[in-house]
Amino acid sequence: MVNATGFGASLSMAAHSTPGGNDRRSRAVAVIGAGYVGLPTAATLAHFGHRVVLAEQDEYRLAALRSGRMPIVEAGLDELVAEGVSAGLLRFTASAAEAVAGAEFVLLCVPTPQGDDGSADLSYVEAAAKEVGMLLEPGAIVVNKSTVPVGSATLVEQVIGRPDVRVVSNPEFLREGTAVRDSLHPDRIVVGGDDTHAAAMVGALFASTGAPLIVTDATTSETIKYASNAFLATKLSFVNALAGLCEEVGADVRDVMLGLGYDKRIGFDFLRPGPGWGGSCLPKDTRALLHIAREAGYDFSLLAGAIASNDQQLARVVAKVTAACGGALNGVSVGVWGLTFKANTDDRRDSPALQIAHRLTGLGGRVRAYDPTVAVGSDAHSDAVPDDLRGLSLCADPYEAATGASVVVVLTEWDEFRWLDFARVHAVMATPSIVDARNLLDPAAVRRMGFTYTGIGRQ
Ligand code: NAD
Ligand code: UGA
């Protein structure tokens, strides 16, 4: 059953067709996993008046939370968390088992990384379900908020093995960097389960958002999540491919996107060409959906093409940097600005910036990298350097990264890169050349200062 309605204007319809759907009572909620999803979700639910216990097994993340620090970079999160804690509505624990005592709802927000064959690895979800299963309150509702493949609600039900416990799918659509805003003001709430009443009760947890509520079956709900990320990834691959075409025909991709964006059916969002799409979700979720399609015997070549096109985009940026260095990178110093997968987050999982930086070192380039979220202080080969940063020389600021470089490549769209002293950048570089893989800078302005400038999809 699909029931798309609203919490606000269509209140009576929602209450009528999805019993409990608009019940704004304060509920006891356990959230398992204090990551990019669990932490903003827990703080948002506390903001809405629910009593939330957040379980986190990672000692570093838990210690940070307990001492009032945020373990992740996310605008506005510290205030929202502090509000919940001081209101006595949000507390933290190391143990999922402890968190579920007294909880009416248990939200699983644990990782579902990519498995070896491209499918989602459900081991964290299964482990969490196993850990809490026998301890759940009678009649508790378990919520799969992690991104999970079709059939996972049933799987979690089987792991828990309790006829009184219902499992509901409630995919999350927040973006990193705007997670607080997205949690407080989501575009929609999707809940899916065989038990419509349980699904509506989960929807009601978020009634204060006023967002449209879609109540459906678990399979459809699970499919909606993958479909959303796959659509966004495909849109970006189209945009990046079009940028490549613009370079060949001499068009300006920014104006092309302006012309597209004014069409309301297309819209302006997700039209910025870049170095390729990445992050902890789009890459793994597109591959997981491809795996689901393959298993189901469906040839999803469109999605396979979008994924392949993304790899080509990374290669195109590497080729631009190589060309800017005269055709070879061996022994050449390259300044890299930005390492996170996009701005306003500290997340480097599946970051296009990092992948490009490593491809450059693989071609013999000596990469000097700066990112505002990466701490400096150890050399590139010391044990203190996280594995994903090995082989890169980490710099304290963008000027240091540019020093002695034959080219600087902008890989993450951090706003601070716009406002640098470009005369100083020019002075410290071996050759004043910029490859702007985010189209962040004003080409005319930097060219006037004597830089050679290469953007994406524009002259
Ligand atoms: P994350 O790795 O940042 O956080 C998960 C947290 O869960 C970790 O801190 C981990 O220590 C903790 N954890 C794992 N098992 C636990 C257990 N048994 N008890 C207590 N804590 C446990 O991951 P994330 O980015 O928050 O993603 C979580 C899920 O949400 C994934 O399925 C992801 O695909 C999905 N998702 C992520 C985003 C995003 O923007 N990151 C958006 C929508 C959906
Ligand atoms: C994405 C989705 O946007 C969220 O709705 C979803 O909940 C989330 O994945 C998830 O399932 O984890 P997120 O990973 O935070 O959110 O990042 P996006 O803002 O979607 O960006 C993804 C990648 O696309 C980044 O590398 C970004 O730089 C790139 N991008 C995005 C562009 O190159 N151009 C754009 O116009 C937009």
Side-chain angles (χ1 to χ4, degrees):
M1 183 191 86
V2 177
N3 183 2
T5 181
F7 284 120
S10 327
L11 206 64
S12 56
M13 183 179 150
H16 177 69
S17 49
T18 56
N22 194 45
D23 182 348
R24 296 187 189 208
R25 258 178 298 172
S26 168
R27 298 293 192 174
V29 182
V31 176
I32 314 301
Y36 291 89
V37 166
L39 185 49
T41 301
T44 297
L45 289 172
H47 177 76
F48 292 153
H50 301 297
R51 292 152 280 136
V52 184
V53 183
L54 174 56
E56 174 52 61
Q57 65 184 14
D58 179 273
E59 282 175 23
Y60 164 77
R61 282 189 167 176
L62 185 65
L65 286 170
R66 284 182 163 154
S67 64
R69 285 178 291 113
M70 290 305 103
I72 56 174
V73 171
E74 200 59 71
L77 188 59
D78 44 359
E79 287 97 330
L80 202 67
V81 168
E83 177 200 278
V85 170
S86 65
L89 291 172
L90 177 59
R91 61 187 178 84
F92 312 111
T93 171
S95 139
E98 194 187 303
V100 302
E104 300 160 89
F105 299 86
V106 177
L107 275 56
L108 303 181
C109 301
V110 299
T112 48
Q114 190 179 311
D116 293 339
D117 58 359
S119 65
D121 172 356
L122 290 176
S123 55
Y124 292 94
V125 173
E126 288 185 49
K130 209 172 282 174
E131 192 179 341
V132 300
M134 297 317 292
L135 303 166
L136 293 167
E137 297 294 337
I141 299 176
V142 173
V143 182
N144 276 349
K145 220 179 208 330
S146 298
T147 302
V148 287
V150 172
S152 296
T154 309
L155 176 89
V156 170
E157 248 159 32
Q158 285 163 356
V159 172
I160 291 173
R162 296 244 317 248
D164 63 315
V165 170
R166 275 111 352 125
V167 178
V168 168
S169 159
N170 170 225
E172 178 53 59
F173 301 99
L174 66 77
R175 292 158 298 172
E176 293 181 21
T178 52
V180 168
R181 195 173 72 209
D182 292 350
S183 299
L184 293 172
H185 310 288
D187 290 342
R188 76 296 208 186
I189 301 292
V190 175
V191 279
D194 296 340
D195 182 333
T196 311
H197 182 70
M201 283 176 69
V202 172
L205 286 176
F206 303 94
S208 299
T209 63
L213 169 65
I214 297 170
V215 179
T216 183
D217 58 87
T219 299
T220 306
S221 171
E222 290 159 349
T223 303
I224 288 170
K225 175 61 196 175
Y226 281 117
S228 300
N229 276 359
F231 184 84
L232 293 171
T234 306
K235 189 174 183 184
L236 285 178
S237 278
F238 178 83
V239 166
N240 287 334
L242 210 65
L245 177 69
C246 286
E247 288 169 15
E248 298 305 321
V249 301
D252 185 327
V253 74
R254 288 169 322 145
D255 288 348
V256 171
M257 292 310 150
L258 201 62
L260 284 179
Y262 273 114
D263 186 324
K264 292 189 186 64
R265 295 166 301 174
I266 298 174
F268 285 107
D269 287 340
F270 258 66
L271 286 188
R272 279 177 289 114
W277 40 267
S280 66
C281 292
L282 259 48
K284 82 169 169 62
D285 292 349
T286 45
R287 288 189 178 86
L289 186 58
L290 205 55
H291 184 269
I292 290 168
R294 212 177 291 126
E295 295 274 291
Y298 179 74
D299 177 13
F300 207 157
S301 52
L302 174 67
L303 184 57
I307 294 170
S309 175
N310 196 44
D311 195 60
Q312 288 165 11
Q313 187 67 2
L314 301 180
R316 269 198 289 270
V317 174
V318 171
K320 281 174 189 283
V321 177
T322 310
C325 295
L329 285 170
N330 214 9
V332 173
S333 187
V334 178
V336 160
W337 288 353
L339 291 170
T340 52
F341 81 99
K342 64 175 180 180
N344 306 319
T345 176
D346 58 341
D347 200 343
R348 299 192 302 269
R349 289 177 287 180
D350 248 322
S351 166
L354 255 187
Q355 290 174 53
I356 289 169
H358 286 302
R359 286 189 193 195
L360 295 173
T361 59
L363 291 168
R366 294 201 313 265
V367 170
R368 302 167 56 76
Y370 165 74
D371 187 282
T373 66
V374 172
V376 183
S378 36
D379 75 67
H381 302 286
S382 105
D383 283 345
V385 175
D387 284 348
D388 64 337
L389 298 178
R390 282 175 186 258
L392 311 178
S393 293
L394 302 177
C395 300
D397 61 50
Y399 304 105
E400 193 183 323
T403 299
S406 296
V407 61
V408 159
V409 50
V410 183
L411 291 175
T412 309
E413 73 281 23
W414 289 104
D415 194 55
E416 66 178 81
F417 299 150
R418 290 175 201 268
W419 311 110
L420 297 174
D421 175 353
F422 279 92
R424 185 174 161 198
V425 175
H426 189 290
V428 297
M429 289 185 72
T431 319
S433 174
I434 295 176
V435 172
D436 182 1
R438 293 285 184 172
N439 287 346
L440 190 71
L441 309 177
D442 176 355
V446 290
R447 281 188 182 126
R448 264 197 309 276
M449 301 199 68
F451 287 93
T452 305
Y453 176 90
T454 311
I456 298 281
R458 58 177 172 171
Q459 305 305 306

PDB file of all heavy atoms in Angstrom, residues 20 52 60 75 77 104 122 133 177 215 224 253-254 257 279 320 354 362 389 407 411 433 453:
ATOM      1  N   GLY A  20      -2.278   6.857  13.898  1.00  0.00           N
ATOM      2  CA  GLY A  20      -1.109   7.170  14.707  1.00  0.00           C
ATOM      3  C   GLY A  20      -0.125   8.060  13.984  1.00  0.00           C
ATOM      4  O   GLY A  20       0.843   8.532  14.547  1.00  0.00           O
ATOM      5  N   VAL A  52      15.671  10.459  24.122  1.00  0.00           N
ATOM      6  CA  VAL A  52      16.562   9.684  23.247  1.00  0.00           C
ATOM      7  C   VAL A  52      17.816   9.222  23.985  1.00  0.00           C
ATOM      8  O   VAL A  52      18.476  10.008  24.666  1.00  0.00           O
ATOM      9  CB  VAL A  52      16.989  10.546  22.028  1.00  0.00           C
ATOM     10  CG1 VAL A  52      17.827   9.722  21.057  1.00  0.00           C
ATOM     11  CG2 VAL A  52      15.764  11.135  21.324  1.00  0.00           C
ATOM     12  N   TYR A  60      36.301   6.784  20.830  1.00  0.00           N
ATOM     13  CA  TYR A  60      36.657   8.173  20.520  1.00  0.00           C
ATOM     14  C   TYR A  60      35.388   9.014  20.343  1.00  0.00           C
ATOM     15  O   TYR A  60      35.256  10.100  20.918  1.00  0.00           O
ATOM     16  CB  TYR A  60      37.528   8.225  19.257  1.00  0.00           C
ATOM     17  CG  TYR A  60      37.597   9.614  18.681  1.00  0.00           C
ATOM     18  CD1 TYR A  60      38.403  10.595  19.263  1.00  0.00           C
ATOM     19  CD2 TYR A  60      36.814   9.958  17.577  1.00  0.00           C
ATOM     20  CE1 TYR A  60      38.425  11.880  18.754  1.00  0.00           C
ATOM     21  CE2 TYR A  60      36.842  11.243  17.066  1.00  0.00           C
ATOM     22  CZ  TYR A  60      37.644  12.201  17.654  1.00  0.00           C
ATOM     23  OH  TYR A  60      37.666  13.475  17.158  1.00  0.00           O
ATOM     24  N   ALA A  75      27.565  21.454  10.474  1.00  0.00           N
ATOM     25  CA  ALA A  75      27.109  22.783  10.891  1.00  0.00           C
ATOM     26  C   ALA A  75      25.873  22.703  11.790  1.00  0.00           C
ATOM     27  O   ALA A  75      24.896  22.036  11.441  1.00  0.00           O
ATOM     28  CB  ALA A  75      26.786  23.626   9.657  1.00  0.00           C
ATOM     29  N   LEU A  77      25.386  21.249  14.550  1.00  0.00           N
ATOM     30  CA  LEU A  77      25.146  20.021  15.323  1.00  0.00           C
ATOM     31  C   LEU A  77      25.445  20.219  16.804  1.00  0.00           C
ATOM     32  O   LEU A  77      24.711  19.716  17.664  1.00  0.00           O
ATOM     33  CB  LEU A  77      26.004  18.881  14.751  1.00  0.00           C
ATOM     34  CG  LEU A  77      25.739  17.491  15.313  1.00  0.00           C
ATOM     35  CD1 LEU A  77      24.296  17.070  15.089  1.00  0.00           C
ATOM     36  CD2 LEU A  77      26.685  16.467  14.689  1.00  0.00           C
ATOM     37  N   GLU A 104      10.646   2.455  23.160  1.00  0.00           N
ATOM     38  CA  GLU A 104       9.521   2.005  22.315  1.00  0.00           C
ATOM     39  C   GLU A 104       9.986   1.831  20.869  1.00  0.00           C
ATOM     40  O   GLU A 104       9.444   1.029  20.123  1.00  0.00           O
ATOM     41  CB  GLU A 104       8.403   3.054  22.339  1.00  0.00           C
ATOM     42  CG  GLU A 104       7.828   3.329  23.716  1.00  0.00           C
ATOM     43  CD  GLU A 104       7.106   4.669  23.739  1.00  0.00           C
ATOM     44  OE1 GLU A 104       5.894   4.699  23.447  1.00  0.00           O
ATOM     45  OE2 GLU A 104       7.759   5.693  24.040  1.00  0.00           O
ATOM     46  N   LEU A 122      25.887  -6.288   5.432  1.00  0.00           N
ATOM     47  CA  LEU A 122      24.889  -6.108   6.492  1.00  0.00           C
ATOM     48  C   LEU A 122      25.385  -6.569   7.859  1.00  0.00           C
ATOM     49  O   LEU A 122      24.599  -6.701   8.808  1.00  0.00           O
ATOM     50  CB  LEU A 122      23.613  -6.866   6.123  1.00  0.00           C
ATOM     51  CG  LEU A 122      22.833  -6.268   4.943  1.00  0.00           C
ATOM     52  CD1 LEU A 122      21.637  -7.128   4.590  1.00  0.00           C
ATOM     53  CD2 LEU A 122      22.387  -4.853   5.263  1.00  0.00           C
ATOM     54  N   GLY A 133      18.271  -7.878  20.354  1.00  0.00           N
ATOM     55  CA  GLY A 133      17.060  -8.683  20.131  1.00  0.00           C
ATOM     56  C   GLY A 133      16.315  -9.108  21.388  1.00  0.00           C
ATOM     57  O   GLY A 133      15.148  -8.748  21.595  1.00  0.00           O
ATOM     58  N   GLY A 177      27.077  17.790   5.826  1.00  0.00           N
ATOM     59  CA  GLY A 177      27.315  19.231   5.676  1.00  0.00           C
ATOM     60  C   GLY A 177      26.052  20.045   5.928  1.00  0.00           C
ATOM     61  O   GLY A 177      26.121  21.168   6.415  1.00  0.00           O
ATOM     62  N   VAL A 215       3.810   6.213   3.404  1.00  0.00           N
ATOM     63  CA  VAL A 215       3.754   4.920   4.092  1.00  0.00           C
ATOM     64  C   VAL A 215       3.573   3.845   3.032  1.00  0.00           C
ATOM     65  O   VAL A 215       2.651   3.917   2.216  1.00  0.00           O
ATOM     66  CB  VAL A 215       2.588   4.869   5.098  1.00  0.00           C
ATOM     67  CG1 VAL A 215       2.533   3.499   5.780  1.00  0.00           C
ATOM     68  CG2 VAL A 215       2.744   5.963   6.145  1.00  0.00           C
ATOM     69  N   ILE A 224      13.143   2.830  -2.596  1.00  0.00           N
ATOM     70  CA  ILE A 224      13.123   4.300  -2.731  1.00  0.00           C
ATOM     71  C   ILE A 224      14.495   4.891  -2.379  1.00  0.00           C
ATOM     72  O   ILE A 224      14.999   5.780  -3.061  1.00  0.00           O
ATOM     73  CB  ILE A 224      12.019   4.917  -1.840  1.00  0.00           C
ATOM     74  CG1 ILE A 224      10.633   4.625  -2.417  1.00  0.00           C
ATOM     75  CG2 ILE A 224      12.221   6.427  -1.678  1.00  0.00           C
ATOM     76  CD1 ILE A 224       9.466   4.986  -1.488  1.00  0.00           C
ATOM     77  N   VAL A 253      29.679  25.358 -19.690  1.00  0.00           N
ATOM     78  CA  VAL A 253      28.774  24.454 -18.989  1.00  0.00           C
ATOM     79  C   VAL A 253      27.938  25.185 -17.936  1.00  0.00           C
ATOM     80  O   VAL A 253      26.805  24.801 -17.651  1.00  0.00           O
ATOM     81  CB  VAL A 253      29.548  23.263 -18.375  1.00  0.00           C
ATOM     82  CG1 VAL A 253      30.349  23.699 -17.137  1.00  0.00           C
ATOM     83  CG2 VAL A 253      28.599  22.126 -17.993  1.00  0.00           C
ATOM     84  N   ARG A 254      28.483  26.252 -17.370  1.00  0.00           N
ATOM     85  CA  ARG A 254      27.706  26.943 -16.330  1.00  0.00           C
ATOM     86  C   ARG A 254      26.457  27.575 -16.928  1.00  0.00           C
ATOM     87  O   ARG A 254      25.379  27.536 -16.343  1.00  0.00           O
ATOM     88  CB  ARG A 254      28.560  27.988 -15.626  1.00  0.00           C
ATOM     89  CG  ARG A 254      29.614  27.358 -14.715  1.00  0.00           C
ATOM     90  CD  ARG A 254      30.590  28.377 -14.255  1.00  0.00           C
ATOM     91  NE  ARG A 254      30.871  29.302 -15.338  1.00  0.00           N
ATOM     92  CZ  ARG A 254      31.105  30.598 -15.189  1.00  0.00           C
ATOM     93  NH1 ARG A 254      31.077  31.126 -13.997  1.00  0.00           N
ATOM     94  NH2 ARG A 254      31.359  31.376 -16.239  1.00  0.00           N
ATOM     95  N   MET A 257      23.968  24.852 -17.769  1.00  0.00           N
ATOM     96  CA  MET A 257      23.228  24.395 -16.577  1.00  0.00           C
ATOM     97  C   MET A 257      22.180  25.427 -16.142  1.00  0.00           C
ATOM     98  O   MET A 257      21.114  25.062 -15.644  1.00  0.00           O
ATOM     99  CB  MET A 257      24.195  24.105 -15.421  1.00  0.00           C
ATOM    100  CG  MET A 257      25.077  22.898 -15.675  1.00  0.00           C
ATOM    101  SD  MET A 257      24.116  21.470 -16.200  1.00  0.00           S
ATOM    102  CE  MET A 257      25.291  20.620 -17.234  1.00  0.00           C
ATOM    103  N   GLY A 279      31.885  10.127  -1.825  1.00  0.00           N
ATOM    104  CA  GLY A 279      31.286  10.146  -0.501  1.00  0.00           C
ATOM    105  C   GLY A 279      30.968   8.754  -0.016  1.00  0.00           C
ATOM    106  O   GLY A 279      31.165   7.771  -0.728  1.00  0.00           O
ATOM    107  N   LYS A 320      43.877  16.515 -17.079  1.00  0.00           N
ATOM    108  CA  LYS A 320      44.020  17.987 -17.112  1.00  0.00           C
ATOM    109  C   LYS A 320      45.257  18.419 -16.314  1.00  0.00           C
ATOM    110  O   LYS A 320      46.001  19.305 -16.719  1.00  0.00           O
ATOM    111  CB  LYS A 320      42.780  18.652 -16.498  1.00  0.00           C
ATOM    112  CG  LYS A 320      41.560  18.728 -17.415  1.00  0.00           C
ATOM    113  CD  LYS A 320      40.369  19.280 -16.633  1.00  0.00           C
ATOM    114  CE  LYS A 320      39.073  19.167 -17.412  1.00  0.00           C
ATOM    115  NZ  LYS A 320      38.938  20.184 -18.466  1.00  0.00           N
ATOM    116  N   LEU A 354      40.552  12.616  -2.913  1.00  0.00           N
ATOM    117  CA  LEU A 354      41.617  11.703  -2.478  1.00  0.00           C
ATOM    118  C   LEU A 354      42.011  10.735  -3.588  1.00  0.00           C
ATOM    119  O   LEU A 354      43.193  10.440  -3.787  1.00  0.00           O
ATOM    120  CB  LEU A 354      41.117  10.884  -1.292  1.00  0.00           C
ATOM    121  CG  LEU A 354      41.624  11.251   0.086  1.00  0.00           C
ATOM    122  CD1 LEU A 354      41.161  10.229   1.098  1.00  0.00           C
ATOM    123  CD2 LEU A 354      43.153  11.334   0.092  1.00  0.00           C
ATOM    124  N   GLY A 362      50.520   8.167  -8.039  1.00  0.00           N
ATOM    125  CA  GLY A 362      50.774   6.935  -8.803  1.00  0.00           C
ATOM    126  C   GLY A 362      51.487   7.228 -10.123  1.00  0.00           C
ATOM    127  O   GLY A 362      52.203   6.374 -10.657  1.00  0.00           O
ATOM    128  N   LEU A 389      45.663   8.783   3.805  1.00  0.00           N
ATOM    129  CA  LEU A 389      46.455   9.980   3.490  1.00  0.00           C
ATOM    130  C   LEU A 389      47.924   9.658   3.238  1.00  0.00           C
ATOM    131  O   LEU A 389      48.728  10.562   2.958  1.00  0.00           O
ATOM    132  CB  LEU A 389      46.348  10.990   4.639  1.00  0.00           C
ATOM    133  CG  LEU A 389      44.935  11.527   4.913  1.00  0.00           C
ATOM    134  CD1 LEU A 389      44.950  12.484   6.103  1.00  0.00           C
ATOM    135  CD2 LEU A 389      44.375  12.226   3.678  1.00  0.00           C
ATOM    136  N   VAL A 407      51.621  23.037 -10.511  1.00  0.00           N
ATOM    137  CA  VAL A 407      50.196  23.252 -10.730  1.00  0.00           C
ATOM    138  C   VAL A 407      49.481  23.079  -9.382  1.00  0.00           C
ATOM    139  O   VAL A 407      49.908  22.281  -8.546  1.00  0.00           O
ATOM    140  CB  VAL A 407      49.628  22.266 -11.783  1.00  0.00           C
ATOM    141  CG1 VAL A 407      49.775  20.818 -11.348  1.00  0.00           C
ATOM    142  CG2 VAL A 407      48.169  22.566 -12.113  1.00  0.00           C
ATOM    143  N   LEU A 411      40.156  20.581  -5.637  1.00  0.00           N
ATOM    144  CA  LEU A 411      39.373  19.338  -5.695  1.00  0.00           C
ATOM    145  C   LEU A 411      38.142  19.347  -4.796  1.00  0.00           C
ATOM    146  O   LEU A 411      37.209  18.582  -5.009  1.00  0.00           O
ATOM    147  CB  LEU A 411      40.274  18.146  -5.349  1.00  0.00           C
ATOM    148  CG  LEU A 411      41.342  17.829  -6.399  1.00  0.00           C
ATOM    149  CD1 LEU A 411      42.281  16.725  -5.940  1.00  0.00           C
ATOM    150  CD2 LEU A 411      40.691  17.456  -7.731  1.00  0.00           C
ATOM    151  N   SER A 433      49.956  27.889 -12.310  1.00  0.00           N
ATOM    152  CA  SER A 433      48.952  27.174 -13.097  1.00  0.00           C
ATOM    153  C   SER A 433      47.910  26.574 -12.148  1.00  0.00           C
ATOM    154  O   SER A 433      48.269  25.993 -11.109  1.00  0.00           O
ATOM    155  CB  SER A 433      49.664  26.075 -13.900  1.00  0.00           C
ATOM    156  OG  SER A 433      48.728  25.287 -14.570  1.00  0.00           O
ATOM    157  N   TYR A 453      44.797  28.968 -16.358  1.00  0.00           N
ATOM    158  CA  TYR A 453      43.620  28.433 -15.664  1.00  0.00           C
ATOM    159  C   TYR A 453      42.909  27.401 -16.532  1.00  0.00           C
ATOM    160  O   TYR A 453      42.643  27.638 -17.711  1.00  0.00           O
ATOM    161  CB  TYR A 453      42.639  29.572 -15.330  1.00  0.00           C
ATOM    162  CG  TYR A 453      41.343  29.078 -14.706  1.00  0.00           C
ATOM    163  CD1 TYR A 453      41.220  28.945 -13.324  1.00  0.00           C
ATOM    164  CD2 TYR A 453      40.242  28.733 -15.507  1.00  0.00           C
ATOM    165  CE1 TYR A 453      40.038  28.487 -12.757  1.00  0.00           C
ATOM    166  CE2 TYR A 453      39.058  28.268 -14.936  1.00  0.00           C
ATOM    167  CZ  TYR A 453      38.965  28.154 -13.568  1.00  0.00           C
ATOM    168  OH  TYR A 453      37.803  27.690 -13.008  1.00  0.00           O
TER     169      TYR A 453
END
